[in-house]
Amino acid sequence: MRIHCLPLSLLLALIFSPSVFAASPAKRSYDTHDYYVLELNPDGPTSLVDVSQMLGVEIIEQAGELLNHWLVRVEKPSIEARDEARDLVMDTFDSLKVRAGIQRRSQDMEARNFADSVKYLSRQIPRQRIKRAPPPIRRQDADTTARGVAQRLGIQDPMFPQQWHLVNDEFPVHMMNVTSLWEMGLTGKGIISSLVDDGLDYTSVDLKDNFDAADSYDFNDHEPLPTPKLAADHHGTRCAGQIAAGKNTACGLGIAYESKVAGVRILSGPITDVDEAAALNYGFQNVSIYSCSWGPPDDGKSMEGPSQLITKAVLNGINKGRGGLGSIFVFASGNGAAHGDQCNFDGYTNSIYSVTVSAIDYKGLHPYYSEPCAANMIVAYSSGSGQHIVTTDKGINECATSHGGTSAAAPNAVGVFALALEARPDLTWRDIQYLCIKTARIVNPEDPDWEYTATGQLYSYKYGFGALDGWRFITAAKEWTPVKPQTWFKTHSIRLGDGTFDGESNYTGGVPIPQQAEGERGVKSTMTITQDMMTAHNFESLEHINIRVWIKHARRGDVEVEIVSPKGIKSILGAHRIKDMDRNGYPGWTFMSVKHWGENPVGDWTIRVSDQNNPEFNGTFLGWNMIFWGSAADPAQSKLYELPEESFVFPPPEDATSPDTPSTTRLPTRPTDHLPGDHGTTEGENSKPAFSSPPTSTPMPTSTPTADEGYFPDLSNLTSNKKWFFGAIAAVALFGIGAAAFFWYRRRALRRLAYSSLPEDDVPMTSNVQSSGMMNGGASRARGTTRELYDAFGEVSDDDDDANEETRLHPGGRDSARREVGGNELGFHSGFLDDDEPPSVAGSTPGVAHYRDEPDS
Ligand SMILES: *[C@@H]1O[C@H](CO)[C@@H](O)[C@H](O)[C@H]1NC(C)=O
Ligand SMILES: *[C@@H]1O[C@H](CO)[C@@H](O)[C@H](O)[C@H]1NC(C)=O
Ligand SMILES: *[C@@H]1O[C@H](CO)[C@@H](O)[C@H](O)[C@H]1NC(C)=O
Ligand SMILES: *[C@@H]1O[C@H](CO)[C@@H](O)[C@H](O)[C@H]1NC(C)=O
């Protein structure tokens, strides 16, 4: 074991308090060192210094803003001595834990003290996060009829008339509706938004006056300033321009044009969990809003979330950021709708802590790329139906005219929130979510995707509660009474057929998901929530719900999961995903729905798990539980939520110790960016439900109540059945029309009919298509953006390797961190590709390809 000298700054930090240690993060050297994060029990008997000596690691610094979490490192062994399968630090950690004995009854005091002092240790593997901007195409000359507004406000920004998301002359309803707020003097003064992205060009004349260097940092190159360096690094600058481009003579205007923007660069290369965690808390007392237009791949087959460490950082921002009011995290929903992707398969967008923003276009239509799901909160304007977002570009005085995707929708929401926080700096993170829900504007009321919630509001998987309207939001914000503190209630798990899951890969028991018969599909299970339970948990009114499921299935994409509330309101949590061939099912995946906001949760909640009725791919449903989140009846009794230790085991170990009475169960007798270049030009739609049955299977006779069950007695449910029926007819009709059009307009038809399956072999593919391309570096995909969609449809095959590569739990925890050693957890983006850059540049980030699991290396 080696003993390292502590850096002076660290010694000082240890002597005084961790908060003294607030300097910039130390430069990382992942090439020469292996990094780990350890969580120390501050009351434990062994000190940090002793722990580090026992593990043979060098202490670097506190892990971002996470108290008692320390970044440590050890020099990598020489290349010759390197054995990828072994990890001496983790091995030492494991053996100390073993020596301590599971019941802590060991006589080995040193090991016992160690085990009592170290709560968590995880290796840090750099991996690539993915931007969500689509590859735009040239735009036509825009009209300049917004001149009147510009004159009145003295706006000289030359591209302002083309910024239709600020003033839309052709479709005046469809804009962020903020100009009247500017006239009231609200411009975002004093509010800082952080662009967690690929850099921010602070030399731009449009941004430099609003740039906040103190809260900026480059986690890719470990430098103080987030300088965009790669040719493709213009995404963060464009998003920043949407928020805070200055009122001047350069390009256009930001929504909060006197607010400040900080840049935190994480997307220009692989980064570790500890750096991503620090990025999401960077400057979190001064920064109000974190704008995040990225996530796991939007390929329709990934199911990934933040690791435990990153989730801790997000919760840390919620509990402590902004002086305890909570950081506002805004996430783009994802661009994978054309691949059947849904934002409930992305653990960032389905987090209760993020405002998930989808896109609508110039005409208020749903752009084909924008992902639907029950975690969608609102929509904001972005590319489609012939128009893109015009914003500042990288360079001294440059303007981007091809920005878009859900990537551009999220910063438009951030701009509105910045205006709101100027007016009401006391709003908590939950107030912002309430205001989104209460003030969202319905678009396309005729769209069959809208359904009533129990409170009489409309909700859509595509539009969330509707379009974010700046004027409506801020008008309501001014009058808003902040909500009471948060409370929650986690139910016991319902266990079906003695199901177990070992947390890794071994499922046993469970009830088979039966073949479809006579209108009854899948397995249903019901839990009853009583008023006593809610009262015992200090519950006043419901906000988000989480549903966690353990499902074994030979083809995950075949599985459909939905939940029906006591009032008969249905949330589709996971719909069929044609591309998802993962064979590991749902090992404790957590879904989220905002559709039950405000509903009384007392009564029977019924989950239904069904599949595509394909005897080749069977599955079993092992169990589930729920968390109800809401506002506290008695604020004095409320406490801050603490993240439990991460575990995927079923039944969850904590059930054994929880005092809550188990709920009842009933079983029925029979039981980011593979976008083509036309994301801005393709016409959106407003006539399809987000989730329709695939044309190959019988229309879904969802939730027809049977006499003996009567699960869905409610009228509103009948409404939704009718919608499904007409939706199914519409889907079949659309498919027919589309198939005809396909032969005439092959390319366009392919793109528009994103939800339908298309004849695979009719699709031209270029020669360098790889069946496992989704996990490859973006480089090969950067070349032909249309190819990716073709690739996507052509890829549906029984490609075992491919399915294996997609096999993963969401990353995190010690064990999964170790799994990552051999295989990168996150795929690389397929696609932030842009027409104004040399195509070979995007995605060819140095080092990225190293982390892929290459069987031959
Ligand atoms: C936009 O704001 C104006 C106030 O300036 C308001 O009267 C109007 O209703 C808002 N537009 C929509 C579509 O809500
Ligand atoms: C936060 O803001 C305060 C006051 O404006 C300033 O003194 C402090 O340096 C800022 N901290 C950071 C990390 O930017
Ligand atoms: C899976 O778990 C069951 C029950 O715990 C056990 O009997 C079986 O040996 C395990 N199988 C594997 C492959 O680990
Ligand atoms: C799937 O289940 C059906 C009966 O429900 C059975 O006939 C079939 O053999 C099963 N297939 C597999 C691969 O287990």
Side-chain angles (χ1 to χ4, degrees):
M1 277 183 205
R2 279 162 293 166
I3 297 168
H4 295 268
C5 290
L6 291 176
L8 182 63
S9 58
L10 181 70
L11 274 176
L12 289 176
L14 290 173
I15 291 164
F16 297 105
S17 94
S19 61
V20 173
F21 185 60
S24 287
K27 175 129 181 127
R28 317 282 193 246
S29 48
Y30 293 109
D31 291 343
T32 55
H33 290 77
D34 289 328
Y35 285 78
Y36 303 81
V37 167
L38 70 81
E39 181 181 0
L40 192 74
N41 176 2
D43 305 323
T46 311
S47 72
L48 176 63
V49 173
D50 290 342
V51 162
S52 70
Q53 285 173 6
M54 291 170 84
L55 291 171
V57 297
E58 175 190 1
I59 305 165
I60 304 301
E61 62 194 15
Q62 181 180 305
E65 296 285 352
L66 294 171
L67 289 182
N68 305 318
H69 288 66
W70 295 91
L71 183 68
V72 300
R73 71 174 186 183
V74 64
E75 218 172 293
K76 278 189 197 287
S78 66
I79 306 264
E80 308 83 65
R82 214 169 278 180
D83 173 0
E84 276 301 327
R86 292 204 64 195
D87 180 328
L88 287 177
V89 175
M90 293 309 298
D91 288 351
T92 309
F93 177 79
D94 286 343
S95 70
L96 279 162
K97 288 269 183 184
V98 169
R99 272 167 56 195
I102 301 192
Q103 303 300 330
R104 301 272 190 277
R105 288 201 200 98
S106 158
Q107 295 305 308
D108 185 339
M109 280 309 287
E110 184 190 44
R112 273 178 57 185
N113 288 344
F114 175 89
D116 288 342
S117 302
V118 182
K119 291 162 88 173
Y120 166 94
L121 181 71
S122 131
R123 170 125 176 235
Q124 297 300 305
I125 311 292
R127 50 199 157 69
Q128 181 74 51
R129 291 288 174 215
I130 291 150
K131 301 172 212 179
R132 282 188 169 155
I137 265 228
R138 329 266 161 234
R139 51 172 284 138
Q140 304 92 355
D141 284 339
D143 66 78
T144 53
T145 50
R147 202 168 280 156
V149 179
Q151 260 166 14
R152 191 151 32 91
L153 287 158
I155 294 167
Q156 294 174 352
D157 296 73
M159 294 298 272
F160 175 71
Q162 270 114 310
Q163 292 185 293
W164 60 267
H165 66 285
L166 300 176
V167 182
N168 189 341
D169 286 312
E170 200 179 344
F171 300 96
V173 170
H174 295 302
M175 57 181 184
M176 296 309 298
N177 209 15
V178 292
T179 57
S180 56
L181 301 169
W182 299 341
E183 292 185 73
M184 291 175 208
L186 281 178
T187 52
K189 283 179 292 295
I191 305 301
I192 304 172
S193 308
S194 179
L195 281 295
V196 184
D197 212 292
D198 64 4
L200 196 164
D201 193 346
Y202 46 84
T203 67
S204 161
V205 294
D206 220 5
L207 288 171
K208 65 179 184 193
D209 292 342
N210 287 338
F211 176 64
D212 169 26
D215 295 301
S216 296
Y217 191 73
D218 180 343
F219 281 96
N220 285 128
D221 293 331
H222 288 278
E223 294 175 356
L225 288 177
T227 315
K229 296 193 193 103
L230 307 178
D233 287 352
H234 42 49
H235 184 252
T237 305
R238 292 176 180 182
C239 293
Q242 289 179 264
I243 300 164
K247 190 172 165 190
N248 49 33
T249 55
C251 191
L253 210 49
I255 287 178
Y257 58 80
E258 291 184 308
S259 70
K260 297 262 187 264
V261 276
V264 171
R265 186 166 178 258
I266 67 161
L267 299 179
S268 305
I271 76 157
T272 53
D273 287 351
V274 66
D275 287 351
E276 188 177 325
L280 289 169
N281 285 165
Y282 206 74
F284 76 160
Q285 295 312 335
N286 291 8
V287 168
S288 295
I289 311 164
Y290 291 84
S291 185
C292 303
S293 292
W294 44 268
D298 297 332
D299 52 16
K301 57 183 178 178
S302 301
M303 182 173 87
E304 294 171 33
S307 72
Q308 177 86 342
L309 193 70
I310 296 166
T311 307
K312 275 186 195 170
V314 169
L315 184 59
N316 193 40
I318 289 292
N319 285 344
K320 298 189 190 148
R322 222 159 45 94
L325 295 170
S327 304
I328 314 295
F329 293 101
V330 178
F331 270 87
S333 74
N335 293 337
H339 301 286
D341 213 348
Q342 301 153 31
C343 41
N344 237 325
F345 290 86
D346 169 342
Y348 294 87
T349 51
N350 83 6
S351 161
I352 67 165
Y353 302 120
S354 50
V355 177
T356 299
V357 184
S358 271
I360 47 171
D361 69 21
Y362 179 61
K363 296 180 179 171
L365 299 176
H366 171 249
Y368 69 92
Y369 55 79
S370 181
E371 289 183 24
C373 77
N376 245 342
M377 185 158 277
I378 44 163
V379 285
Y381 289 95
S382 189
S383 56
S385 290
Q387 299 285 340
H388 299 81
I389 296 294
V390 175
T391 177
T392 316
D393 207 351
K394 183 172 66 171
I396 302 294
N397 186 353
E398 299 293 330
C399 212
T401 56
S402 54
H403 191 45
T406 53
S407 256
N412 278 338
V414 172
V416 169
F417 299 155
L419 298 179
L421 290 176
E422 180 189 0
R424 284 294 303 271
D426 59 325
L427 296 178
T428 67
W429 66 277
R430 280 165 54 247
D431 292 318
I432 294 285
Q433 295 200 7
Y434 268 96
L435 284 162
C436 284
I437 291 168
K438 302 272 181 216
T439 69
R441 174 166 43 78
I442 300 301
V443 289
N444 308 316
E446 67 286 2
D447 193 311
D449 200 48
W450 288 113
E451 289 176 318
Y452 282 103
T453 71
T455 63
Q457 236 190 310
L458 285 166
Y459 183 81
S460 145
Y461 303 108
K462 294 194 294 194
Y463 312 115
F465 287 94
L468 177 65
D469 182 288
W471 184 80
R472 290 168 62 115
F473 191 95
I474 276 96
T475 306
K478 284 180 169 170
E479 309 291 315
W480 184 254
T481 309
V483 293
K484 292 182 185 174
Q486 191 186 38
T487 189
W488 66 91
F489 165 43
K490 179 180 176 301
T491 70
H492 259 267
S493 302
I494 296 215
R495 193 172 170 196
L496 305 175
D498 288 330
T500 69
F501 179 63
D502 68 354
E504 290 287 332
S505 57
N506 186 12
Y507 296 91
T508 61
V511 293
I513 299 167
Q515 302 295 300
Q516 185 172 340
E518 290 157 34
E520 189 56 66
R521 290 188 74 197
V523 183
K524 279 187 195 169
S525 166
T526 297
M527 71 166 76
T528 307
I529 302 300
T530 64
Q531 183 58 51
D532 286 350
M533 292 175 189
M534 301 322 279
T535 309
H537 290 86
N538 193 20
F539 228 86
E540 186 165 84
S541 85
L542 182 63
E543 294 164 9
H544 317 78
I545 59 170
N546 279 144
I547 300 90
R548 194 170 188 206
V549 295
W550 284 263
I551 300 165
K552 174 185 165 130
H553 205 277
R555 187 148 114 181
R556 187 171 66 203
D558 280 5
V559 178
E560 293 171 348
V561 184
E562 62 187 41
I563 188 136
V564 177
S565 72
K567 295 274 182 292
I569 304 301
K570 178 169 69 188
S571 282
I572 295 175
L573 302 170
H576 180 218
R577 295 204 306 168
I578 196 161
K579 293 190 63 210
D580 181 357
M581 290 179 289
D582 187 284
R583 293 182 300 201
N584 280 258
Y586 291 84
W589 180 253
T590 300
F591 291 109
M592 193 269 272
S593 174
V594 293
K595 197 171 172 181
H596 304 276
W597 200 284
E599 183 170 349
N600 180 354
V602 171
D604 287 357
W605 290 80
T606 301
I607 194 171
R608 180 215 297 271
V609 174
S610 52
D611 68 12
Q612 301 303 304
N613 198 19
N614 180 347
E616 249 185 279
F617 300 109
N618 289 357
T620 52
F621 181 22
L622 293 88
W624 61 296
N625 60 42
M626 290 182 75
I627 307 180
F628 296 90
W629 302 91
S631 60
D634 176 6
Q637 282 181 38
S638 70
K639 50 191 191 325
L640 292 178
Y641 183 70
E642 277 177 47
L643 207 60
E645 209 169 296
E646 181 175 56
S647 164
F648 300 96
V649 171
F650 188 81
E654 72 267 19
D655 276 8
T657 54
S658 154
D660 294 313
T661 38
S663 328
T664 64
T665 307
R666 272 189 288 170
L667 275 177
T669 40
R670 213 181 13 226
T672 109
D673 345 7
H674 329 279
L675 284 178
D678 61 354
H679 72 96
T681 46
T682 302
E683 189 83 0
E685 58 78 25
N686 59 1
S687 56
K688 288 188 293 189
F691 304 120
S692 49
S693 299
T696 46
S697 69
T698 27
M700 184 161 149
T702 335
S703 59
T704 311
T706 54
D708 56 336
E709 285 164 6
Y711 285 168
F712 312 110
D714 217 283
L715 190 66
S716 57
N717 190 56
L718 294 177
T719 320
S720 86
N721 285 338
K722 231 184 263 168
K723 278 178 183 159
W724 276 110
F725 179 69
F726 290 121
I729 290 180
V732 169
L734 257 172
F735 181 68
I737 295 164
F742 181 78
F743 293 103
W744 290 97
Y745 304 108
R746 185 171 290 182
R747 292 173 60 112
R748 288 191 74 84
L750 181 60
R751 289 172 197 159
R752 286 185 184 198
L753 272 183
Y755 286 112
S756 312
S757 350
L758 286 159
E760 288 160 26
D761 43 11
D762 246 22
V763 173
M765 291 168 106
T766 55
S767 54
N768 61 343
V769 170
Q770 294 158 313
S771 65
S772 58
M774 290 306 160
M775 290 296 287
N776 274 323
S780 66
R781 256 166 283 144
R783 264 170 277 271
T785 54
T786 44
R787 192 199 78 232
E788 281 153 5
L789 186 58
Y790 293 162
D791 188 12
F793 284 106
E795 221 179 342
V796 181
S797 69
D798 293 332
D799 184 334
D800 283 350
D801 290 345
D802 196 25
N804 281 337
E805 279 173 60
E806 297 308 313
T807 292
R808 45 195 123 110
L809 301 178
H810 53 210
R814 178 163 70 81
D815 294 328
S816 51
R818 299 189 73 175
R819 264 200 301 280
E820 289 170 27
V821 174
N824 181 27
E825 288 281 321
L826 286 180
F828 303 119
H829 209 281
S830 43
F832 170 63
L833 317 166
D834 205 291
D835 61 342
D836 353 90
E837 298 292 345
S840 60
V841 173
S844 59
T845 316
V848 165
H850 297 332
Y851 300 96
R852 191 173 164 253
D853 187 8
E854 294 287 359
D856 54 343
S857 64

